[in-house]
Amino acid sequence: MPKLLHLACSPRADSESAAGACVFVESFRKARPDWEIDAMNLWREPLPEFEGYLLEAKYARIGGKGFTNSQHDAFAVAERLALRLSLADRVLISTPMWNFSIPYKLKQWLDVIIQPGLTFRFDPAQGYLPLLKDRPTVVILASGSDFVTGMNRGRIDMATPYLREMLRFIGIQDVRFVPIGPTTGPTEPIRAARDAAHRRLAEMAARF
């Protein structure tokens, strides 16, 4: 059964990014009722800390050494998380922008799965090479500022280029971003931005 992986990255169930994801998933279900949706809430699913045996396992791999039993068990957790991504035919990431970048839970997930021999490898002649196949990916990015019309008051969006590069690094290049903003301030601009983003998301999901 084909699969859509949805990474939910907001701790708020009623957040703008979560609302956008609901619109997308509902439209996607109607268009592809035979697909499985693997919903992964990064605030509810346990993510390992990147230290101890997991950190040792990374450097053991870099050094061409075998794992100890403890390192093997720790790395297996990262493998299972990466496997959920690698088995997905489509990916949806819904996230708020925090401090112009991404929530630390999303950063933690990326740091755990981006491991040598797991999602990338290094070749002395070619450099870093991705290990995942490309797949269509949509990123819903909600922010207090308006990065759509340019009325962002001098603030910088560091989340979009960071996520684009990290996904490209492991092999995912077919990525489309759907910004939602502003999410703070006067009511009318918030409503207009939300409505425009939701229309776009519903249309994209029907063809995704």
Side-chain angles (χ1 to χ4, degrees), residues 17-149:
S17 63
C22 285
V23 170
F24 187 96
V25 170
E26 181 180 352
S27 180
F28 184 86
R29 285 187 189 276
K30 291 179 181 177
R32 299 180 182 272
D34 55 330
W35 279 52
E36 175 186 353
I37 297 180
D38 180 11
M40 182 176 184
N41 187 315
L42 296 186
W43 295 89
R44 295 177 182 172
E45 305 232 6
L47 296 175
E49 297 297 325
F50 191 63
E51 51 85 39
Y53 293 122
L54 178 56
L55 184 62
E56 291 176 9
K58 173 179 181 175
Y59 283 97
R61 273 215 166 173
I62 291 175
K65 300 177 182 178
F67 289 162
T68 65
N69 289 337
S70 296
Q71 291 169 353
H72 179 274
D73 292 344
F75 199 78
V77 177
E79 287 181 313
R80 286 193 293 271
L81 289 172
L83 183 62
R84 290 178 74 171
L85 175 60
S86 67
L87 291 177
D89 301 277
R90 303 284 189 274
V91 178
L92 171 66
I93 301 174
S94 57
T95 182
M97 181 185 293
W98 280 12
N99 297 322
F100 318 117
S101 187
I102 60 175
Y104 61 86
K105 285 289 186 179
L106 178 52
K107 176 68 164 58
Q108 183 179 0
W109 178 79
L110 288 166
D111 287 340
V112 169
I113 69 163
I114 299 179
Q115 300 292 335
L118 191 58
T119 50
F120 77 92
R121 68 183 179 90
F122 180 77
D123 181 273
Q126 298 177 281
Y128 292 99
L129 299 171
L131 291 179
L132 297 187
K133 293 181 180 179
D134 195 9
R135 67 213 65 201
T137 298
V138 168
V139 178
I140 301 171
L141 181 62
S143 63
S145 295
D146 180 0
F147 291 100
V148 178
T149 66

